[in-house]
Amino acid sequence: MNPRYPGLVKKSFIDLLPTIIGVLVGLLSVGYGFSLWKILLSGVDIGGVANLLTLPIIAASAGIALWGHRKKMEFDKSEAYLDKALELMDQARSVLFDPEGKLTNDRISWVTSARLLKHAQQLKTLATVDAHKRIFDSEHDYQRHLFAEMALYKDEQIPPSFFLGAEYEGLTLGEAAYADSQDKHTGKWIPARIVSEVFRFFSYPRNYEDPLDTATELSPDEVGSLWIGGGQPLCDYLTFRQNFTRVAGKVIKLNGPGKSQTVEAEDIDGEMQSLSGTYKH
């Protein structure tokens, strides 16, 4: 199992399985007891009948055990697919960066990354346990963050000449296309479909379901508990956000619907002295 998810889902499943089997066996036992009670009331010889009733109980118990075994096998197989998918996703990102953490423009590295990402997505579809799919999705978000942090949000953006796969620093597209480090043909240029595949995987899709859509702000009671526990600075920030916003380089004091006024730094600090501790929904 991936070290970031140390057997959490597996433990939950194993903990739950005996309960499921116990409930099924209990239901069968109740049915058996009820049948036996009716037989006793009817005056029929219980010896032979008990033997007959025992057979379905044994068969049912064997069936339950087989069912549990199959579910365990299904779970283990799904977990194996998840583990490999997570490993491939991590490798796909890592192969794009050199040991110093710099994004490489080596064509082979990009092609390898795209292949690994395709395999990871295929393995995700083979995972049959819903919890495993959710773990993959959460890891996917983590990998998006790492990739963007390392590749997209640097002080300098990636120049288009980067994707020509040879010397590119300080060169225009035309200069990089004719650089001496280029092959005779386009052997070093990173194919557009490869670049697209990598960036598509590490980007948020249009239909992305953000788990933060259900996130809410702290309630006044929660803020009160936070204040008492020593979290006054965070409480003041939350109060600040309720009363101020920033538009076109200016900070605006919100005074109700349709009312606002521009304030300076000293005005904010003065207002916050009276607003501190007044958080409300």
Side-chain angles (χ1 to χ4, degrees):
M1 190 68 184
N2 188 281
R4 282 193 283 273
Y5 310 94
L8 177 61
V9 179
K10 185 173 184 178
K11 182 180 183 301
S12 299
F13 177 81
I14 293 173
D15 289 345
L16 187 60
L17 188 58
T19 302
I20 296 174
I21 295 176
V23 170
L24 293 174
V25 171
L27 291 174
L28 287 172
S29 299
V30 170
Y32 174 81
F34 180 74
S35 300
L36 188 59
W37 175 72
K38 290 187 67 177
I39 290 171
L40 287 172
L41 290 180
S42 65
V44 177
D45 177 31
I46 194 173
V49 176
N51 291 332
L52 292 176
L53 289 176
T54 302
L55 293 177
I57 294 296
I58 295 175
S61 299
I64 292 172
L66 180 60
W67 174 84
H69 177 68
R70 287 180 176 176
K71 295 300 289 185
K72 178 66 166 54
M73 289 182 61
E74 177 186 345
F75 183 92
D76 289 346
K77 184 181 294 186
S78 178
E79 185 180 55
Y81 288 137
L82 169 67
D83 287 346
K84 192 60 181 179
L86 296 181
E87 179 184 342
L88 291 176
M89 183 163 42
D90 193 55
Q91 291 174 345
R93 177 187 52 79
S94 298
V95 77
L96 294 174
F97 299 90
D98 62 24
E100 286 72 39
K102 182 179 179 181
L103 188 67
T104 179
N105 69 340
D106 175 62
R107 172 188 172 123
I108 295 177
S109 295
W110 280 76
V111 171
T112 300
S113 178
R115 286 196 180 114
L116 292 174
L117 292 175
K118 277 295 188 183
H119 286 310
Q121 293 175 90
Q122 291 168 355
L123 286 173
K124 178 198 172 182
T125 64
L126 295 176
T128 56
V129 177
D130 183 65
H132 291 159
K133 295 178 181 180
R134 289 177 178 270
I135 289 176
F136 180 92
D137 290 339
S138 63
E139 177 71 9
H140 195 171
D141 280 349
Y142 174 69
Q143 294 289 349
R144 286 185 176 112
H145 167 75
L146 290 183
F147 180 82
E149 186 178 63
M150 299 175 75
L152 300 180
Y153 300 146
K154 297 294 186 181
D155 293 335
E156 297 181 3
Q157 292 184 326
I158 303 173
S161 55
F162 169 91
F163 298 101
L164 292 180
E167 295 180 9
Y168 71 93
E169 295 186 5
L171 302 180
T172 66
L173 267 172
E175 291 169 344
Y178 271 97
D180 294 337
S181 56
Q182 289 290 348
D183 285 345
K184 184 176 181 180
H185 301 294
T186 60
K188 290 190 176 182
W189 295 9
I190 305 173
R193 64 190 179 93
I194 298 300
V195 175
S196 300
E197 189 65 36
V198 172
F199 275 89
R200 181 182 295 117
F201 183 86
F202 289 115
S203 302
Y204 289 95
R206 180 175 297 180
N207 61 345
Y208 175 75
E209 296 183 7
D210 194 340
L212 291 179
D213 288 342
T214 58
T216 60
E217 295 183 12
L218 292 176
S219 68
D221 288 341
E222 290 175 316
V223 171
S225 298
L226 183 62
W227 183 280
I228 294 173
Q232 292 92 340
L234 174 56
C235 296
D236 281 346
Y237 172 71
L238 296 175
T239 303
F240 168 80
R241 289 303 305 268
Q242 286 187 333
N243 291 275
F244 299 91
T245 188
R246 185 177 172 89
V247 179
K250 296 290 186 179
V251 177
I252 307 297
K253 172 69 166 61
L254 304 174
N255 296 311
K259 299 178 181 180
S260 61
Q261 65 183 86
T262 302
V263 290
E264 302 299 330
E266 57 271 17
D267 300 323
I268 297 172
D269 295 335
E271 289 274 359
M272 284 304 302
Q273 288 183 10
S274 60
L275 289 171
S276 179
T278 64
Y279 178 87
K280 58 185 180 301
H281 265 308

